Amino acid sequence: MARNKPNILIIMVDQLNGTFFPDGPADFLHAPHLKALAARSARFVNNYTSSPLCAPARASFMAGQLPSRTRVYDNAAEYVSSIPTYAHHLRRAGYYTALSGKMHFVGPDQLHGFEERLTTDIYPADFGWTPDYRKPGERIDWWYHNMGSVTGAGVAEITNQMEYDDEVAFLANQKLYHLARENDDAERRPWCVTVSFTHPHDPYVARRKFWDLYEGCEHLEPTVPPIPFDQQDPHSKRLMLACDYQKFAISGEDVRRSRQAYFANISYLDEKVGELVDTLTRTRMLDDTVILFCSDHGDMLGERGMWFKMSFLEGSARVPLMVAGPGVSPGAHLAPVSNLDVTPTLADLAGISMDEIMPWTDGESLVPVIRGGERTSPVLMEYAAEGSYAPMIGIREGRWKYIHCSLDPDQLFDLDSDPTEMNNLAADPAHAATLGEFQSKALARWDLARFDAEVRESQARRWVVYEALRNGAYYPWDHQPLQKASERYMRNHMNLDNLEESKRYPRGE
């Protein structure tokens, strides 16, 4: 294997609002390690998710394909094994590929090109979270979001999520040590390790040492105060109802505590990022490693009274993206880009022929942008999950964002003059030409009637299958991490002297 292929470390977080990364982490965030990473990164200021929900966003992230192609429409839609992902492309080119943490794969394939998964997932792999367009407005109480994450915000020293992310970080660092032992071997394989955390995803609960960093923080109040329900756009109304907002009285203190915990968990993640970079540094792999930092989608975090994701508004749809490492010049890039671009970008950085990659992706490589060019194609988004009654599509191009659903009036925002998206220009005659251009682009790109029919068919099939599989003996698809105990530490089929030398890094110092 050629030694000139870089190692790749992907650090993914969950539900990190990109507006808090205006050019790297915002000044008020206590995130020294992420700020240090940003200083040596290509920073994509206007980067967007392909779909503002975990499973669809992550399937698209890995494949570089929109949900209408992956058919991962929601958090319970199967990700089929025949779709190439960046793990497949890199592994085919000789890379070792591993995942520590969350990727929310649904279905019996829990690898999708990864040679090894170090942890199980934090979320279920079955069809139990399937929404149902046949019952618009139905709340599936046992798994739909509600506002309890907001009213329950506060401090804890351990939670379900902290336990998970502590394990994700530990096993990822352990894997980096293992890979370092091979780093001096002439024939070693380059590696791509994906470390995927569940924070700062709600519930909004943080450890005291991080919580205290934000006492009195001036950003605990949303920029845009709550908008009354009857003044919200139709999709935002649906989301509020899906989150059962009517059953909760959200106080200003609830909002502030939720935001404080969210910021605290960014600092918690920053500590994990620091550990990973420190391990790379001490094992002499940093200079040979591309680091990509990203998130699957954002969190409205109380802006205009909205919470969580599932919206094309900036807090939910815009996400951080930073790339650092060999051949990557630091600097800020303002043109809109997409998480769909990550797979072709990784392949390009790894020296894989783009002729083989581009038929499998809706994105494009950002390497030309990193080297001084521009990405000029529109950024596309789709959403067809809970809180929607029909598929929605979005286009971000230049200063504009266009949002369309067959059930709703169109939305058109000028993000240069209206970054908080308070002024829908779709009905303004002065912008009729711009609206018409976006409507034409959407019509050329999507057959929304077909999209809607495919989503409904997928949902209906999965409801039948899930109910059948839960009747009688149940064998879930959750990933069971395997460890070969007889190949670990010291065993009697191993030569002790050889073992100790091979497991030491650096060797003989």
Side-chain angles (χ1 to χ4, degrees), residues 74-79 105-108 124-131 140 142-143 458-467 469-470 474 477:
D74 54 63
N75 275 345
E78 182 181 2
Y79 197 11
F105 295 142
V106 174
D126 61 21
F127 297 158
W129 289 0
T130 303
I140 306 174
W142 67 274
W143 67 267
S458 171
Q459 292 176 352
R461 283 191 283 106
R462 284 182 279 139
W463 274 106
V464 171
V465 172
Y466 179 68
E467 290 173 356
L469 294 183
R470 289 308 300 264
Y474 182 54
W477 296 317

Side-chain angles (χ1 to χ4, degrees), residues 357-373:
I357 302 304
M358 297 317 294
W360 308 109
T361 179
D362 295 317
E364 56 191 75
S365 172
L366 297 176
V367 171
V369 179
I370 290 169
R371 294 175 179 166

Side-chain angles (χ1 to χ4, degrees), residues 98-328:
L99 168 64
S100 183
K102 173 183 175 178
M103 204 53 77
H104 207 155
F105 295 142
V106 174
D109 184 352
Q110 288 296 305
L111 292 175
H112 290 283
F114 288 116
E115 195 168 333
E116 189 175 11
R117 285 192 73 171
L118 310 181
T119 70
T120 192
D121 213 299
I122 192 168
Y123 286 154
D126 61 21
F127 297 158
W129 289 0
T130 303
D132 195 343
Y133 277 4
R134 297 169 298 186
K135 302 174 182 178
E138 178 189 58
R139 250 196 64 81
I140 306 174
D141 287 333
W142 67 274
W143 67 267
Y144 267 23
H145 259 100
N146 63 43
M147 302 303 290
S149 290
V150 179
T151 58
V155 176
E157 290 308 308
I158 193 67
T159 64
N160 188 50
Q161 285 180 256
M162 288 180 209
E163 180 178 351
Y164 187 76
D165 278 352
D166 287 349
E167 179 184 10
V168 168
F170 173 80
L171 291 174
N173 278 292
Q174 183 184 66
K175 177 56 66 175
L176 291 179
Y177 281 123
H178 290 176
L179 293 168
R181 293 165 176 149
E182 303 170 359
N183 199 49
D184 295 333
D185 297 344
E187 298 303 315
R188 72 147 178 101
R189 298 163 68 193
W191 51 261
C192 174
V193 174
T194 301
V195 186
S196 186
F197 297 105
T198 191
H199 285 88
H201 192 294
D202 62 287
Y204 305 114
V205 179
R207 284 188 176 135
R208 172 65 68 183
K209 76 174 197 175
F210 301 111
W211 173 276
D212 287 347
L213 294 173
Y214 295 93
E215 284 294 344
C217 174
E218 61 185 16
H219 296 277
L220 299 183
E221 299 284 351
T223 302
V224 180
I227 297 172
F229 180 83
D230 60 359
Q231 296 175 32
Q232 298 273 9
D233 67 87
H235 182 60
S236 294
K237 289 179 180 177
R238 291 192 291 267
L239 294 181
M240 292 177 73
L241 292 171
C243 293
D244 217 15
Y245 90 102
Q246 295 163 304
K247 292 185 180 178
F248 294 82
I250 305 299
S251 68
E253 183 63 14
D254 291 331
V255 174
R256 288 186 291 273
R257 288 175 66 82
S258 296
R259 289 171 68 92
Q260 184 167 351
Y262 185 87
F263 299 150
N265 282 327
I266 295 175
S267 296
Y268 166 82
L269 289 169
D270 181 77
E271 185 176 85
K272 304 298 188 191
V273 171
E275 292 171 1
L276 292 166
V277 174
D278 181 57
T279 300
L280 288 177
T281 303
R282 289 183 292 102
T283 56
R284 306 173 190 175
M285 296 192 293
L286 182 65
D287 292 344
D288 299 324
T289 301
V290 169
I291 302 176
L292 186 144
F293 177 83
C294 58
S295 180
D296 55 354
H297 54 74
D299 188 327
M300 290 302 293
L301 208 63
E303 297 291 340
R304 64 206 295 153
M306 301 294 296
W307 292 89
F308 318 127
K309 56 272 190 175
M310 304 175 282
S311 167
F312 289 147
L313 294 170
E314 287 288 276
S316 167
R318 188 169 136 202
V319 286
L321 179 62
M322 305 193 299
V323 184
V328 178

